[in-house]
């Protein structure tokens, strides 16, 4: 059976994920690959509704476990109804964020037990993991400066600086734990230089 590749891109706010996904999709399409671009939380009709609940400031306070479970509920829908069917058709799927974000934001940021997140990962995904994860790394300060121009912050973006430092640290820890899959990209340099690093990993894939 034909099987496409699953690429995810992650990192702290303002790391340049959206910018680099444009590059990744163009690059793959030039190679004749059929690409499905998607995002988390979201990516499906139901997932986008869950995203509104998760990120909407009007949602107000939410227990950290509820936040984690909603992330995985949206993810289950995403995998079952969008990602796996596309891969089975030989398409490549590029997702703006995936499970590493749950480890970083809910595990690091919210200080939830990483073992409990692993249990949910196994429940929802079994052995399913991305073929390649590009982790765009840069300091929290630079990332914040890049998104300062935006009008309003979402529910999670309103967290304090220490939250995002913990998020970044978990991302880095995971890139050291899974070096075969997670490639750390220096996202502090110019856009073209970030794309160049990503290009090298895409060629390897
Ligand atoms: N979340 C979670 O908690 N748990 C989970 O399991 C999952 C997600 C899956 C989703 O937000 C939120 O959900 C996120 C994590 C949480 N929470 N927060 N906070 P999102 O992923 O949709 O949005 P985001 O994280 O806020 O991403 P972003 O801020 O939109 O940033 P970005 O896509 O990485 O960056 P960008 O839009 O490409 O670039 C930002 C600006 O910087 C823009 O003006 C660019 O032109 C500029 N830029 C980009 N690259 C460069 C370079 N290299 N140099 C200079 N300027 C640059």
């Amino acid at each position: 059976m034909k099987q496409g590749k699953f690429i995810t891109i992650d990192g702290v706010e303002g790391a340049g994920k959206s910018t680099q996904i444009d590059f990744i999709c163009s690059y793959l399409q030039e190679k004749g690959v059929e690409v499905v671009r998607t995002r988390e939380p979201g990516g499906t009709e139901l997932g986008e509704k869950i995203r509104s609940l998760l990120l909407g400031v009007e949602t107000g306070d939410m227990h950290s476990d509820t936040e984690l479970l909603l992330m995985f509920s949206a993810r289950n829908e995403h995998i079952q109804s969008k990602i796996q069917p596309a891969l089975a058709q030989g398409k490549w799927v590029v997702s703006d964020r995936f499970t590493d974000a749950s480890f970083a934001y809910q595990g690091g940021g919210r200080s939830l037990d990483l073992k409990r997140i692993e249990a949910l990962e196994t429940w929802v995904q079994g052995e399913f993991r991305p073929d390649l994860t590009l982790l765009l790394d840069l300091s929290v300060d630079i990332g914040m400066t890049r998104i300062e121009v935006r009008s309003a912050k979402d529910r999670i973006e309103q967290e304090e600086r220490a939250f995002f430092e913990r998020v970044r640290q978990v991302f880095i820890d995971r890139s050291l734990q899974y070096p075969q899959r997670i490639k750390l990209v220096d996202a502090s340099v110019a856009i073209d230089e970030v794309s160049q690093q990503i290009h090298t990993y895409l060629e390897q894939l």
Side-chain angles (χ1 to χ4, degrees):
M1 192 173 74
K2 279 200 303 180
Q3 184 71 26
K5 301 273 185 203
F6 181 34
I7 300 172
T8 65
I9 185 159
D10 234 310
V12 292
E13 345 300 304
K17 294 178 287 90
S18 311
T19 308
Q20 295 302 331
I21 287 178
D22 292 343
F23 164 74
I24 294 168
C25 291
S26 306
Y27 172 84
L28 293 176
Q29 280 157 356
E30 275 169 27
K31 296 264 176 189
V33 174
E34 205 174 334
V35 185
V36 174
R37 177 179 184 157
T38 189
R39 68 173 181 180
E40 286 208 351
T44 64
E45 206 178 324
L46 176 59
E48 291 295 324
K49 288 179 184 165
I50 297 174
R51 180 187 177 95
S52 302
L53 279 175
L54 279 162
L55 302 184
V57 180
E58 62 285 357
T59 299
D61 287 343
M62 185 186 293
H63 192 281
S64 300
D65 284 348
T66 310
E67 185 177 275
L68 177 68
L69 289 164
L70 283 174
M71 292 290 177
F72 272 96
S73 299
R75 181 163 300 130
N76 187 61
E77 195 62 25
H78 196 201
I79 293 169
Q80 300 296 336
S81 71
K82 187 166 184 180
I83 299 175
Q84 285 188 330
L87 295 175
Q89 290 168 6
K91 296 172 186 165
W92 287 38
V93 177
V94 180
S95 183
D96 188 337
R97 299 197 183 278
F98 194 62
T99 308
D100 296 298
S102 297
F103 283 95
Y105 283 83
Q106 283 65 54
R110 303 270 186 240
S111 304
L112 292 183
D113 184 353
L114 298 181
K115 294 272 173 233
R116 298 177 72 200
I117 305 178
E118 277 172 7
L120 282 172
E121 181 184 40
T122 303
W123 184 11
V124 169
Q125 298 173 219
E127 298 293 308
F128 180 67
R129 300 288 181 276
D131 295 290
L132 170 68
T133 296
L134 297 159
L135 171 58
L136 302 194
D137 181 58
L138 87 172
S139 74
V140 172
D141 283 341
I142 299 177
M144 295 284 184
T145 307
R146 284 188 192 167
I147 62 166
E148 245 166 27
V149 284
R150 282 190 205 155
S151 48
K153 291 185 171 180
D154 69 35
R155 200 180 57 84
I156 297 179
E157 283 171 346
Q158 293 186 337
E159 289 299 328
E160 81 285 16
R161 188 203 150 94
F163 175 97
F164 296 105
E165 292 290 0
R166 294 195 296 277
V167 168
R168 182 186 184 201
Q169 191 55 54
V170 172
F171 273 135
I172 293 171
D173 292 347
R174 287 182 67 75
S175 74
L176 297 172
Q177 199 179 350
Y178 303 104
Q180 288 296 100
R181 172 175 70 84
I182 306 180
K183 303 300 181 188
L184 195 93
V185 172
D186 178 2
S188 67
V189 294
I191 291 176
D192 285 355
E193 290 173 53
V194 179
S195 302
Q196 196 49 49
Q197 297 172 66
I198 290 176
H199 177 267
T200 304
Y201 292 124
L202 291 177
E203 284 291 310
Q204 288 170 8
L205 188 66

